[in-house]
Amino acid sequence: MLQFESELEGKHAQFGYLRDKLKNYGFCLGGYWDYDRGFFDATLSKKDGETIYLRLPFVVISGVLDSDSAHIQFKTPYVIKHVINYGLDFDEGSLLEATGFSQFQTPVDKDGKIENKHKWVQAGEQVVEKVLQYLN
C-alpha cells in the first residue's frame, strides 16, 4: 500500500453527487463499506492477474452511506495492488465459485508489492486532481 498526501484529505462532499461524478473516471464504491465509512476505488492498471487501484477512503460525517444526501470527509488516499487467483479456490467458498453463486474469488495477495512506486503515486495524484475539481 502506498499512501500519499494530497489536498483531498479532509475535504467534504455530498456522497450521491460525488459518486455520480466519479463514475466518469471509473470509480465505484468499494465492496467493504459500512454505514459510517467507505472508499471509492478506481483501476489504474490491470495486467496479467495484477490490478493496481487508487483508493479514496472516507468517513461519513452526517447521514448514512446508503443515502445520497450523506456527507463524507476524505482520509489519506493510497494505491494498492491485488493479485488475483486464476485457479479454483479450494476452501469453504469453492462450491460457490464453481456454481457461479459467488462473483469474486479471494485475491492471492490483497496488498501485493508495487514496483515503480513513484510511477503509481504520480498516477494516483493525477486522478485525485480530477476528483478535486468537484470539491473546490
Side-chain angles (χ1 to χ4, degrees), residues 45-101:
S45 172
K46 192 170 195 173
K47 182 178 178 186
D48 299 329
E50 297 180 351
T51 305
I52 297 178
Y53 296 98
L54 171 61
R55 182 161 282 176
L56 308 179
F58 60 83
V59 294
V60 178
I61 56 175
S62 71
V64 290
L65 193 54
D66 63 346
S67 168
D68 286 349
S69 63
H71 287 274
I72 61 174
Q73 180 179 15
F74 284 97
K75 300 295 186 183
T76 304
Y78 57 94
V79 174
I80 191 167
K81 176 176 152 183
H82 285 190
V83 181
I84 64 164
N85 181 0
Y86 278 120
L88 289 175
D89 271 344
F90 293 105
D91 62 7
E92 63 277 355
S94 297
L95 181 59
L96 293 175
E97 299 292 343
T99 59
F101 286 108

